[in-house]
Amino acid sequence: VTSGGHAHQPPRTLRWESGPPGQLVLIDQTRLPERFVELPVRTVDELVDALQRLAVRGAPAIGVAAGYGVLLGLSGHEDCEPSEAVARVREAAATLVKARPTAVNLAWAAQRMVRRADRLLGEGARGRAFFEALLEEAHGIASEDDAQCRKMGEVGVALLRDGVSVLTHCNAGALATGGMGTALSPIYVAAERGLRVRVFATETRPLLQGARLTSWELERSGIEVTLIPDSAAATVLQRGMVDLVLVGADRIARNGDVCNKIGTYPIALAAQRHGIPFYVVAPLSTFDPDTAEGAQIPIEERSSDEVTGFHGQRTAPDGVRAFNPAFDVTPAAMVRGIVTEEGLIAGGDEARIAALLGRQ
Amino acid sequence: VTSGGHAHQPPRTLRWESGPPGQLVLIDQTRLPERFVELPVRTVDELVDALQRLAVRGAPAIGVAAGYGVLLGLSGHEDCEPSEAVARVREAAATLVKARPTAVNLAWAAQRMVRRADRLLGEGARGRAFFEALLEEAHGIASEDDAQCRKMGEVGVALLRDGVSVLTHCNAGALATGGMGTALSPIYVAAERGLRVRVFATETRPLLQGARLTSWELERSGIEVTLIPDSAAATVLQRGMVDLVLVGADRIARNGDVCNKIGTYPIALAAQRHGIPFYVVAPLSTFDPDTAEGAQIPIEERSSDEVTGFHGQRTAPDGVRAFNPAFDVTPAAMVRGIVTEEGLIAGGDEARIAALLGRQ
């Protein structure tokens, strides 16, 4: 198996292979960057395992996987009675949601599939037609995500000129979505248009998504990438080695405060100090209408083991405790703008955020 | 072999064991934190190997090792003619200096030993007396370093109160010196005096000196330590989890700009933003009278392999390039003060720096 990379074509993280029986095929992100392995997923339990092992990760990608995953609940039972089909869909959805309980997109996609199944039952659909209509719904989730990524890319590409140098953090790329990514989408669109783009990618301890995933997907797509330790980002900004920062977001408050992977905030601090614009790329679904400001966002603390070692190898003495917050909060005032599928929002433009959320 | 830790007693990185033949005994830092191994060093070549493998590291510790290392050139020849003894001393010094050509303390200590040997020749010393006098010189280098560390600790302890929480970066502790360290010396003195101190230690990618060394020496000394990813330092400061920052320095310019391990500057940025005092602890020998400001300091770029792998395990795709600057520069204006063996210098107090350097 080769990586099958083509210049400027981001990798496709998930695809559905028609059957019978149909199967979901994932790039196994636990094997990257050493091996490019496509993982066939044929049952709900196999997908639960893939989700829990982080073989597939990134909120949008998880949502797309969940859509197809619900469908896997019907595998081998494509011709069953509609009431049994709905029961199978509900069971698959419930099982998937438990796989990663905090992943909002997972629950959202699973519920969307259940609602579609309920409507199909009401419409009298059955057998193959029921299955195909549900497959269309899962394809819809995937293609909407793909389109949203492209829209963000087309909005964000206006920030890039030929020869631009960009700093990014963690992996907010194709591997995290059903499309060309969030933070990396403007870069892929720029590359399609023949602009030369150079990317500095932080390695992103503790889980090294930058080293393992971002550098892999950019290199494979023919985009020049230079890996740096997280702690060298400030030096890169201090020396003017990059023109702008592009990062993703896990949640954005109504006031524009941005919650993202730990290490984002110190990059924003250094960008502000050195007058380098700091942009966030995220779909409108990332904005949380129930969160007024960043301080209200609960920050997940993950296991000490991620900090006291790597890939099963210990680096710190036994018994040393670690503090391992998964995210940090960057104040809206440090954000030059937020690139969304509906256009660019100036950092901290609460009125515009409220207007866009109201329209959803 | 156990670690032999005692409450509040920092480890002793180097010691001389009398012979015949005498030998230098080092804590092998390449084995930490998994194993506490004391490495006997009996020849100049063995010390070259230890220096190159970073079994002993840290500018002051390297200087102390070099003093004893020159003496190893006489091992088995303690009774030789004074002219041969001087030739052996010179040869040992030249060999050691080549082991790590950029280590200023290594050359300084080796030259000091050669000058002492030259004077001994002039004074007519010979045989055992020659050797013992030279051993006294090496002991002198070690005990001066030890005393300097303690003085810095006694100056710096004034910044600490009972229950204080300190953030440090990299390893500027006992393992880097012939005494109780630089940045960590105020913490050891505070602990001796019964003050409770809590330390947050960054893991310090790429070489993980914080995870491997700082957490080891603090824990072993009974001082509470919490390890964090480098990228979480800003969050620790943002949340007010520490009262002050204590770091070491590799070089300090005449204007007070501080060159230290990569990752120091973003910590200073976050400390400034959140009003948390940022202190540097370094002996006066760290000030470079030939460097007017930080921008003039050449920053060593180390191998990509340190960034594309972790503890010998590859993390990035083959062929991905990395940018791996070893140090960064923190502007004097962000430094609240510099703790030296001659007292506390206010950050950026150029007149005081000039006065202290003039007195040396």
Side-chain angles (χ1 to χ4, degrees):
Chain A
V1 184
T2 69
S3 77
H6 298 289
H8 311 149
Q9 282 292 330
R12 189 143 199 93
T13 300
L14 313 108
R15 59 188 168 83
W16 178 259
E17 276 186 4
S18 297
Q23 62 181 10
L24 174 63
V25 180
L26 307 172
I27 297 176
D28 186 346
Q29 299 190 31
T30 65
R31 308 294 297 276
L32 292 175
E34 296 87 358
R35 300 273 320 266
F36 175 84
V37 176
E38 288 197 312
L39 181 71
V41 177
R42 298 187 186 93
T43 68
V44 174
D45 286 346
E46 284 176 12
L47 183 56
V48 166
D49 182 59
L51 287 163
Q52 290 180 336
R53 290 190 303 113
L54 307 187
V56 55
R57 33 63 63 193
I62 285 173
V64 174
Y68 291 116
V70 166
L71 208 67
L72 293 175
L74 289 182
S75 200
H77 302 271
E78 290 83 353
D79 300 321
C80 70
E81 285 301 306
S83 59
E84 186 191 336
V86 168
R88 287 186 173 277
V89 161
R90 286 187 177 277
E91 191 190 332
T95 303
L96 287 167
V97 167
K98 274 183 282 184
R100 290 194 67 189
T102 56
V104 174
N105 288 52
L106 203 170
W108 169 83
Q111 282 155 19
R112 176 167 160 175
M113 294 296 285
V114 168
R115 283 197 307 273
R116 183 74 182 109
D118 284 342
R119 284 201 308 276
L120 287 168
L121 182 68
E123 292 162 9
R126 54 187 306 133
R128 208 63 220 174
F130 187 105
F131 182 88
E132 291 297 331
L134 213 50
L135 176 58
E136 276 315 300
E137 190 73 16
H139 282 328
I141 294 171
S143 63
E144 286 164 30
D145 188 43
D146 186 38
Q148 206 170 56
C149 289
R150 177 160 286 279
K151 274 189 191 168
M152 286 185 280
E154 285 168 357
V155 171
V157 75
L159 304 171
L160 308 181
R161 52 164 183 72
D162 189 41
V164 73
S165 179
V166 178
L167 174 67
T168 191
H169 184 55
C170 196
N171 177 260
L175 288 170
T177 67
M180 53 168 59
T182 56
L184 300 190
S185 66
I187 293 165
Y188 287 121
V189 171
E192 277 179 4
R193 296 184 182 177
L195 305 182
R196 284 162 305 152
V197 183
R198 182 181 185 192
V199 180
F200 284 87
T202 54
E203 65 170 349
T204 319
R205 276 285 285 161
L207 295 181
L208 299 167
Q209 292 93 336
R212 294 173 43 242
L213 306 179
T214 298
S215 69
W216 179 82
E217 70 167 86
L218 289 174
E219 174 135 301
R220 171 188 182 286
S221 308
I223 293 165
E224 186 183 333
V225 57
T226 302
L227 192 64
I228 59 172
D230 301 312
S231 60
T235 292
V236 165
L237 293 159
Q238 185 183 40
R239 294 194 192 174
M241 295 166 75
V242 295
D243 302 294
L244 77 165
V245 178
L246 291 177
V247 297
D250 284 83
R251 201 193 296 198
I252 304 177
R254 285 205 309 273
N255 72 340
D257 288 351
V258 173
C259 177
N260 191 43
K261 179 66 56 194
I262 190 78
T264 303
Y265 173 51
I267 292 173
L269 276 168
Q272 184 184 53
R273 164 95 184 176
H274 298 291
I276 293 174
F278 178 93
Y279 289 98
V280 173
V281 188
L284 287 176
S285 59
T286 311
F287 288 83
D288 182 358
D290 297 329
T291 301
E293 55 176 41
Q296 295 171 359
I297 301 174
I299 303 295
E300 175 189 355
E301 287 182 24
R302 295 178 56 87
S303 162
S304 281
D305 296 345
E306 293 180 357
V307 183
T308 56
F310 171 73
H311 236 0
Q313 196 174 356
R314 244 194 118 71
T315 53
D318 286 338
V320 164
R321 81 190 74 194
F323 174 56
N324 184 20
F327 307 104
D328 61 24
V329 174
T330 298
M334 292 186 179
V335 178
R336 180 72 60 94
I338 305 175
V339 173
T340 76
E341 70 275 27
E342 296 280 344
L344 179 67
I345 305 173
D349 184 346
E350 297 190 41
R352 175 98 174 111
I353 293 171
L356 284 168
L357 292 183
R359 266 170 42 195
Q360 286 202 296
Chain B
V1 183
T2 68
S3 77
H6 297 290
H8 312 147
Q9 282 291 330
R12 190 143 199 93
T13 300
L14 313 108
R15 60 188 167 81
W16 178 259
E17 276 186 4
S18 296
Q23 63 183 8
L24 174 62
V25 180
L26 306 172
I27 296 177
D28 185 346
Q29 299 189 30
T30 64
R31 308 294 298 274
L32 291 175
E34 295 86 358
R35 300 272 321 262
F36 175 83
V37 176
E38 288 198 312
L39 180 71
V41 176
R42 298 188 185 91
T43 69
V44 174
D45 286 345
E46 285 176 10
L47 182 56
V48 166
D49 181 59
L51 287 163
Q52 290 180 335
R53 292 188 303 114
L54 308 186
V56 57
R57 32 64 62 192
I62 286 174
V64 173
Y68 291 117
V70 166
L71 207 68
L72 294 175
L74 289 181
S75 200
H77 302 271
E78 290 83 352
D79 300 322
C80 69
E81 285 301 306
S83 59
E84 185 191 337
V86 168
R88 288 184 172 277
V89 160
R90 286 187 177 278
E91 191 190 334
T95 303
L96 288 167
V97 167
K98 275 183 282 185
R100 291 194 65 188
T102 56
V104 174
N105 288 53
L106 203 170
W108 169 84
Q111 282 155 18
R112 177 167 160 175
M113 294 296 287
V114 168
R115 283 198 306 274
R116 184 73 182 108
D118 283 343
R119 285 201 307 278
L120 287 168
L121 182 69
E123 292 161 9
R126 53 188 305 133
R128 210 60 220 176
F130 187 104
F131 182 87
E132 291 297 332
L134 212 51
L135 176 59
E136 276 314 301
E137 190 73 14
H139 282 328
I141 294 171
S143 64
E144 287 164 28
D145 187 43
D146 186 39
Q148 207 171 52
C149 289
R150 176 160 287 278
K151 274 189 191 169
M152 287 185 277
E154 286 167 356
V155 171
V157 75
L159 304 171
L160 309 181
R161 53 164 181 72
D162 188 39
V164 73
S165 179
V166 178
L167 174 67
T168 191
H169 184 55
C170 197
N171 178 261
L175 288 170
T177 67
M180 54 168 60
T182 56
L184 300 190
S185 65
I187 293 166
Y188 286 121
V189 171
E192 278 179 5
R193 295 182 183 179
L195 305 182
R196 284 162 304 152
V197 183
R198 182 182 185 190
V199 180
F200 284 87
T202 54
E203 66 171 347
T204 319
R205 278 286 284 159
L207 294 180
L208 298 169
Q209 293 94 336
R212 294 173 43 242
L213 307 179
T214 298
S215 68
W216 179 82
E217 70 167 85
L218 289 174
E219 173 136 301
R220 172 188 182 285
S221 307
I223 293 165
E224 186 183 332
V225 59
T226 302
L227 191 64
I228 59 171
D230 300 310
S231 60
T235 291
V236 164
L237 293 159
Q238 186 183 38
R239 294 195 192 174
M241 294 166 76
V242 295
D243 302 294
L244 77 164
V245 178
L246 291 177
V247 296
D250 284 84
R251 202 194 293 198
I252 304 176
R254 285 204 309 272
N255 72 340
D257 288 351
V258 173
C259 177
N260 190 42
K261 180 66 58 194
I262 190 77
T264 303
Y265 172 52
I267 292 173
L269 275 169
Q272 185 185 51
R273 163 95 183 176
H274 298 291
I276 293 174
F278 178 95
Y279 289 97
V280 173
V281 187
L284 287 176
S285 58
T286 311
F287 288 83
D288 181 358
D290 298 328
T291 301
E293 54 176 41
Q296 295 171 358
I297 301 174
I299 303 295
E300 175 190 355
E301 288 182 24
R302 295 179 54 89
S303 161
S304 281
D305 297 344
E306 293 180 356
V307 183
T308 56
F310 189 96
H311 226 11
Q313 195 171 357
R314 222 183 143 75
T315 55
D318 285 339
V320 164
R321 82 190 72 191
F323 174 58
N324 185 18
F327 306 104
D328 60 25
V329 174
T330 299
M334 291 187 180
V335 178
R336 181 70 61 91
I338 305 174
V339 173
T340 76
E341 71 275 27
E342 296 280 345
L344 179 67
I345 305 174
D349 185 345
E350 297 189 41
R352 174 96 175 113
I353 293 171
L356 285 169
L357 292 182
R359 267 170 42 194
Q360 285 201 298

